[in-house]
Amino acid sequence: MTAKVLDEAELKENFGRAMGRIANGVYVLTLERNGSRDGMLSTWLSQAAFEPPLISVAIKAGRPILMALSENSQFVINVLGHGNSHVFKNFAKPDLAGEARFEGLECESANEYGPVLSTAISYMGCRVQKHVPAGDHVLVIAEVVDGAMMNESEPMVHLRKSGFQY
């Protein structure tokens, strides 16, 4: 029996489906600059080191929010839980930007790193160390300098149909 030879499109579809099965948490990166808030939904976040405690966040190259994430700038990672679908929807809408993403959401604004979403299960205050190019994305490497658990809910998990689309 001869094995079927797959063309490039079939290969990409096969391993794209396999890559889409990589389970990711769901996070909202928030920041505040000059009195204006902004944020983005992220599922490509990972702990990168123990000492100092580092995370990496993959952000599509060219996104305007990358300009606000310069070296030594600060932001918050809000960890979403199962009960945060309303937060997910606000930050997943591509037509919303800046303050509009926060409409209808409660935030704790006393954090020096950025807005903390009141219904998140935890948050981490971060300081950008550097950017590392990674294909069509940029890895933002940041030190976690603050954070806390806010409730004991289970974290939201995201699976994709294909590893080639969000």
Side-chain angles (χ1 to χ4, degrees), residues 13-158:
E13 182 181 337
N14 281 346
F15 71 77
R17 287 188 4 236
M19 287 174 53
R21 298 293 88 188
I22 297 172
N24 299 104
V26 182
Y27 313 94
V28 173
L29 182 154
T30 57
L31 52 84
E32 188 167 343
R33 300 286 179 274
N34 304 319
S36 292
R37 298 182 295 185
D38 201 358
M40 63 169 274
L41 188 65
S42 177
T43 58
W44 292 357
L45 181 141
S46 182
Q47 184 173 347
F50 290 125
E51 194 55 46
L54 298 176
I55 61 165
S56 65
V57 183
I59 300 174
K60 187 160 178 76
R63 282 196 70 167
I65 202 165
L66 269 171
M67 293 175 64
L69 295 172
S70 58
E71 191 172 322
N72 290 318
S73 66
Q74 300 176 142
F75 64 92
V76 170
I77 292 295
N78 295 274
V79 180
L80 299 188
H82 288 292
N84 291 135
S85 60
H86 63 295
V87 176
F88 180 95
K89 288 176 186 173
N90 269 34
F91 285 90
K93 293 178 184 173
D95 56 332
L96 292 180
E99 291 287 337
R101 293 198 183 279
F102 293 87
E103 217 168 275
L105 301 178
E106 289 185 41
C107 292
E108 318 238 342
S109 59
N111 187 301
E112 68 183 273
Y113 301 100
V116 173
L117 300 169
S118 299
T119 60
I121 62 175
S122 66
Y123 78 91
M124 292 167 276
C126 303
R127 183 174 297 116
V128 176
Q129 286 199 340
K130 66 179 170 179
H131 289 193
V132 178
D136 60 355
H137 281 66
V138 174
L139 293 179
V140 175
I141 309 297
E143 182 176 358
V144 178
V145 291
D146 186 26
M149 287 293 296
M150 296 168 61
N151 67 65
E152 295 292 330
S153 298
E154 287 294 315
M156 188 183 289
V157 176
H158 180 67

